[in-house]
Amino acid sequence: YIFKHPADGYYGIKREGKTSNLSATIYLLLFFVTYIYWIFETNFLFNNHIPAEINMFQQLTTIFLPFFLWVIANYLVCSIRDGEGKLSDVYQASAASLLPMIIAFPILTIVSKGLTYNEAFIYSTLLFIAVAITVIYMIIMVKEIHFYDMKPTIGNILISIFTALMILAVLFIVYLLLNEV
């Protein structure tokens, strides 16, 4: 339902309880699996990862760390800036926002097998469309979950990204200090 009517789908997540943390976790794991499939199986012309050199721990942190930093930072910022969303709402809606990429990764992988380097614009265009739709869904998600207008939504997203970077910096500093002890 989120594909056809994203605003109504996020309203259903927030107000009607149409999803759960389990389904959001399944979406997130499905996103990770399709991402790994995309990395391992994409044609070498379009893939800058060498399958033998892929570190799974690095891929786990590449996907899960930014996602959970986004969820926590967005919830914290919205709780200060009069947002209406709960932490579970932000988590569920953020996971549901990844659906375009869940669909796009296998399609991109299959398409890459039949394209030549001269047709790379097709692959790049499909990837750009999938990422753009995901970003649009994230913007709509913040707007609907926290019941903002568009201008506070954009400000909230920028502050959330800054907050996520600050959380990461603090964690890095704590790690370095504990390493010295």
Side-chain angles (χ1 to χ4, degrees):
Y1 191 71
I2 286 182
F3 283 121
K4 286 185 176 182
H5 308 286
D8 292 338
Y10 295 128
Y11 179 84
I13 289 173
K14 180 174 175 35
R15 302 278 185 204
E16 299 168 357
K18 295 226 175 190
T19 187
S20 66
N21 288 332
L22 175 65
S23 63
T25 305
I26 290 170
Y27 284 151
L28 188 58
L29 291 175
L30 194 58
F31 174 76
F32 180 71
V33 167
T34 57
Y35 173 75
I36 293 299
Y37 174 72
W38 177 64
I39 286 178
F40 274 101
E41 294 297 322
T42 299
N43 190 352
F44 68 93
L45 293 174
F46 308 105
N47 194 354
N48 32 350
H49 297 94
I50 300 170
E53 296 177 2
I54 294 176
N55 183 353
M56 287 304 285
F57 179 74
Q58 181 183 14
Q59 298 306 320
L60 279 167
T61 56
T62 301
I63 296 299
F64 291 111
L65 184 67
F67 181 81
F68 286 114
L69 278 175
W70 163 258
V71 170
I72 291 168
N74 186 261
Y75 171 71
L76 292 175
V77 168
C78 291
S79 65
I80 292 172
R81 298 189 75 204
D82 297 328
E84 294 182 3
K86 298 181 293 192
L87 182 61
S88 63
D89 294 336
V90 175
Y91 174 65
Q92 292 167 10
S94 295
S97 297
L98 297 174
L99 285 173
M101 294 305 292
I102 292 171
I103 292 172
F105 281 146
I107 292 172
L108 286 168
T109 303
I110 293 168
V111 166
S112 75
K113 303 258 187 221
L115 296 177
T116 63
Y117 195 66
N118 289 333
E119 298 162 332
F121 70 93
I122 296 171
Y123 181 85
S124 300
T125 303
L126 290 174
L127 183 60
F128 176 78
I129 289 170
V131 170
I133 291 172
T134 303
V135 168
I136 289 170
Y137 280 8
M138 283 288 195
I139 292 170
I140 294 171
M141 180 272 298
V142 172
K143 183 179 180 303
E144 292 301 319
I145 292 295
H146 300 294
F147 198 62
Y148 286 146
D149 292 330
M150 190 50 79
K151 187 175 179 183
T153 299
I154 300 301
N156 187 346
I157 290 171
L158 294 175
I159 293 171
S160 294
I161 292 170
F162 178 75
T163 303
L165 292 173
M166 290 300 103
I167 291 170
L168 195 60
V170 167
L171 289 175
F172 184 67
I173 290 170
V174 167
Y175 171 75
L176 288 177
L177 289 175
L178 289 176
N179 234 4
E180 290 298 319
V181 171

